[in-house]
Amino acid sequence: MSARINPSILSADFVNFERDFNSISNADLIHVDVMDNHFVPNLTFGLPMVARMQQITPKPLDIHLMIESPDRWAPGYAEAGAFSVTFHAEAAESPVKLARTLRSIGARAGLAIKPGTAIDSYLEVLAEFDQILVMTVEPGFGGQSLIEDTLSKVAAVRRKVDAEKLDVWLQVDGGIDETNIERVANLGADTFVAGSAVFKAEDRQAQIDNLRSLAASGIAHRH
């Protein structure tokens, strides 16, 4: 199993996306946080901007929808060519049905869980998703510190994925940096969203390589 590093462009320069995308060209995917100022208290960008991003980078886009009514809006991102579309369990009316719709369009379907949301009821339907995103901070703002209590959910998802031999990526998002990525990987994550940890680095590509190496070490030493 390899480690994937998906820099979050929430930490990028919003008027220089093309330049900033080029500065992270060794990333596995580009993580795009779509916020509607309703589900979370912040506003970023919507479908037209995401469609344009798709045109200026060869990298696959990993869309994270922090929005209300994803059942209505998420399919549009899949239709625009997004590689992966993740929506929130707390906002979706019918998570499994929406995941199946996204997959039928051709995107990977992801389910995101906020720090205060229990994972148990979703463990039984993991196979319906291509990715589970355990939020390790409250969604809505970049630059936050990782919430330790969320890591038990990472371990729980990993146990279920391994026990059933599922092809499900386990993503973490929030406060991930070089001080904790190896430990979080060791607990079960394989896909890592890093925002400020990447974009604040003087050499972003070197930092991505460093994070990937640390995560790979954590994965290699799992028990």
Side-chain angles (χ1 to χ4, degrees):
M1 180 191 298
S2 58
R4 286 170 287 271
I5 306 298
N6 302 1
S8 167
I9 60 165
L10 198 58
S11 299
D13 182 344
F14 283 14
V15 295
N16 285 293
F17 276 137
E18 191 161 15
R19 180 200 67 193
D20 277 6
F21 285 178
N22 289 335
S23 76
I24 56 170
S25 61
N26 60 330
D28 293 280
L29 299 94
I30 293 175
H31 190 81
V32 181
D33 290 304
V34 174
M35 306 183 191
D36 65 357
N37 206 28
H38 293 284
F39 182 70
V40 291
N42 205 344
L43 185 67
T44 53
F45 24 71
L47 186 53
M49 279 287 287
V50 171
R52 181 72 183 116
M53 290 174 195
Q54 194 82 60
Q55 294 170 350
I56 65 170
T57 177
K59 289 287 170 187
L61 297 185
D62 175 33
I63 309 298
H64 178 192
L65 299 177
M66 301 183 218
I67 63 171
E68 292 181 349
S69 306
D71 306 77
R72 177 182 177 187
W73 299 111
Y77 290 84
E79 288 162 359
F83 177 79
S84 177
V85 180
T86 296
F87 57 89
H88 268 268
E90 304 84 3
E93 291 177 17
S94 182
V96 169
K97 181 181 176 185
L98 178 53
R100 290 176 178 175
T101 297
L102 294 171
R103 283 172 147 181
S104 73
I105 296 169
R108 291 174 61 85
L111 184 74
I113 306 288
K114 290 167 70 172
T117 300
I119 193 72
D120 305 8
S121 62
Y122 300 103
L123 291 177
E124 301 310 311
V125 290
L126 283 189
E128 295 284 353
F129 304 96
D130 299 296
Q131 174 168 277
I132 299 296
L133 166 52
V134 175
M135 290 297 299
T136 42
V137 299
E138 287 295 338
F141 297 93
Q144 301 181 67
S145 297
L146 182 144
I147 300 170
E148 290 288 330
D149 290 355
T150 60
L151 298 182
S152 61
K153 287 191 278 190
V154 174
V157 175
R158 173 51 56 195
R159 285 193 297 271
K160 187 73 170 179
V161 167
D162 287 353
E164 298 191 5
K165 296 181 169 56
L166 302 175
D167 182 17
V168 178
W169 294 3
L170 176 43
Q171 185 176 67
V172 285
D173 179 1
I176 299 296
D177 60 23
E178 61 273 17
T179 70
N180 56 35
I181 192 170
E182 186 170 2
R183 180 165 61 95
V184 178
N186 189 251
L187 286 169
D190 53 38
T191 307
F192 304 85
V193 178
S196 42
V198 168
F199 282 97
K200 285 181 179 175
E202 199 165 314
D203 186 336
R204 294 169 181 173
Q205 294 189 3
Q207 176 71 327
I208 289 168
D209 287 341
N210 178 43
L211 291 170
R212 189 182 287 116
S213 175
L214 289 167
S217 175
I219 291 171
H221 291 98
R222 281 182 196 157
H223 300 299

